[in-house]
Amino acid sequence: MSLYKTRVKEFETLLANEVIDHTSLKKLCFNGIPDGGGFRAICWRLLLGYLGSEKNTWTQTLQKKRQLYQQFIDEMVISPGTSGDSSCSDHPLSDGPESAWSTYFKDNEVLLQIDKDVRRLCPDISFFQQATEFPCQVVVNSNGERRLHSRVAPSKLSSANVEGKFGMTKINLITKRAQENYEAMEEGLEAHWEVVQRILFIFAKLNPGIGYVQGMNEIIGPIYYVLASDPNIVFREFAEADCFFCFTALMGEIRDFFIKTLDESEGGIKAMMNKMTKLLEVKDIEVWQRLKDQELYPQYYGFRWLTLLLSQEFPLPDVVRIWDSVLSDENRFEFLVHICCAMIMLLREQILEQDFASNVKLLQNFPPMDINIVLLKATTLK
């Protein structure tokens, strides 16, 4: 029996139990979850605490959570004064604290940043530009009223008349988006990036203390990709709702990374960078000394590595494999520090030879490398 088939059999056996042993699950997932079979999607739901250990609770949990998420859409993805919002009677120019219009315009400021970010999500693959099989019907059949991107879309005017000293002059207005940005789909359809946009918007609405911070799109991307690619159509149909709760659970653990006032806290990003630096000092003092002498601080590269859980340093399939191990780590995110340290050590020769400018460029643009080599190196640092 091949190694792959053996691994598949181990997952099938473990997940067939009525009560899932989390210790065994983490140990199995740490070494990588097999592609195909829907194993990763179900395991990530378990690792992120969305599903409990007892399988007989899954149906009720999923039904309850999915209904709750649909309620969020019904109540939050709507414009004041539209046909679906009969409760709003205030004026669009009102700036009172109770004004639904005032809240709407403030929300649009957040939505504008979300819109920009999700349109650039994982540009190396076409997945997020493609249509989802299961568009949200209340949104895609609303004549545009519930389409979030339409709230912050640029003007559709192609030209305008401007009155000047010598009479009226017709000018062209450049309104086209950059080509790398994803286009919205027609009525009745929606792309995966539009679904991600809705999830992030609802998250920001429900978590005003943190709201939306640029980079959260990179965190939600792998989760949504895994759940929306699940071969099990029963689960895939509710990828949006499940992704929302899995993302919320993960953000609950890494929220300190995104709140500047908590940078100095034990769970803050500076503390994580210090752990990475200290580990490098212990494991390879020569490289550590070289970076110190060049004053090449981890803020130049490690901040992004750690904050975004390496989601921008590797291709998406490699990121997903990294997260198998990171989400399975008994001491959550300790192994992430080990991976980052291993990445530096694997560039040892270049770092020792190159100058500051070259090393900054090297670390900010990690070269293509077999992810298994990186992970193997990281495990030796434990």
Side-chain angles (χ1 to χ4, degrees), residues 39-73:
F39 296 116
R40 180 170 285 116
I42 197 69
C43 287
W44 280 22
R45 286 183 177 93
L46 286 160
L47 293 170
L48 288 167
Y50 180 47
L51 291 178
S53 300
E54 299 180 7
K55 290 174 73 174
N56 62 5
T57 65
W58 289 6
T59 300
Q60 185 178 3
T61 296
L62 292 172
Q63 185 178 19
K64 183 179 178 181
K65 294 287 190 180
R66 290 164 179 175
Q67 287 177 349
L68 178 60
Y69 182 74
Q70 185 59 49
Q71 185 180 336
F72 292 155
I73 293 177

Side-chain angles (χ1 to χ4, degrees), residues 92-338:
L93 297 181
S94 171
D95 60 357
E98 301 299 322
S99 170
W101 279 106
S102 177
T103 301
Y104 172 78
F105 291 124
K106 288 177 182 177
D107 288 345
N108 282 357
E109 294 175 13
V110 176
L111 185 56
L112 181 60
Q113 185 61 60
I114 295 175
D115 188 71
K116 288 178 180 177
D117 292 346
V118 296
R119 287 176 185 266
R120 298 191 292 256
L121 189 57
C122 300
D124 294 337
I125 62 172
S126 63
F127 175 79
F128 288 95
Q129 302 174 53
Q130 297 172 7
T132 173
E133 298 171 83
F134 305 102
C136 182
Q137 294 302 318
V138 298
V139 171
V140 299
N141 296 309
S142 64
N143 292 318
E145 286 184 355
R146 289 174 178 257
R147 294 271 194 174
L148 289 175
H149 60 79
S150 66
R151 287 168 51 168
V152 291
S155 171
K156 295 294 189 292
L157 288 175
S158 59
S159 64
N161 291 324
V162 178
E163 186 174 359
K165 187 175 181 180
F166 302 102
M168 299 293 290
T169 302
K170 187 175 182 179
I171 62 170
N172 291 322
L173 300 176
I174 301 173
T175 59
K176 286 189 68 178
R177 289 182 180 271
Q179 287 189 347
E180 66 269 18
N181 287 332
Y182 302 165
E183 293 297 328
M185 294 200 162
E186 61 191 35
E187 186 80 359
L189 301 173
E190 65 180 345
H192 288 296
W193 69 261
E194 296 179 73
V195 180
V196 173
Q197 179 183 53
R198 186 163 53 246
I199 298 172
L200 289 171
F201 177 73
I202 291 174
F203 175 84
K205 288 278 287 180
L206 291 171
N207 297 272
I210 182 172
Y212 174 77
V213 180
Q214 196 169 18
M216 288 182 181
N217 58 309
E218 304 294 346
I219 298 295
I220 199 173
I223 300 175
Y224 180 79
Y225 173 76
V226 167
L227 300 188
S229 302
D230 193 335
N232 185 335
I233 192 170
V234 177
F235 277 103
R236 192 168 71 245
E237 181 179 357
F238 297 97
E240 178 178 354
D242 292 357
C243 178
F244 170 80
F245 289 105
C246 287
F247 172 70
T248 299
L250 182 56
M251 284 305 304
E253 298 185 44
I254 65 172
R255 64 188 297 272
D256 291 4
F257 295 0
F258 290 88
I259 301 177
K260 192 171 181 60
T261 55
L262 295 177
D263 281 355
E264 305 288 349
S265 67
E266 186 177 346
I269 193 63
K270 286 187 179 179
M272 293 287 284
M273 290 191 291
N274 287 338
K275 288 180 182 179
M276 181 182 71
T277 303
K278 288 178 181 178
L279 182 62
L280 180 63
E281 182 182 7
V282 171
K283 298 298 181 179
D284 195 330
I285 193 168
E286 195 174 358
V287 170
W288 172 83
Q289 189 65 52
R290 178 67 171 175
L291 295 177
K292 183 181 179 184
D293 291 344
Q294 291 185 341
E295 297 184 354
L296 207 169
Y297 304 117
Q299 285 85 344
Y300 287 108
Y301 57 92
F303 182 88
R304 186 179 72 189
W305 290 4
L306 293 163
T307 301
L308 303 183
L309 309 184
L310 296 171
S311 59
Q312 286 195 315
E313 314 312 316
F314 298 93
L316 185 56
D318 288 352
V319 173
V320 166
R321 170 60 192 92
I322 290 170
W323 284 23
D324 287 346
S325 296
V326 171
L327 298 179
S328 306
D329 187 8
E330 285 289 348
N331 301 309
R332 190 78 103 205
F333 309 119
E334 183 178 296
F335 189 61
L336 174 64
V337 172
H338 292 167

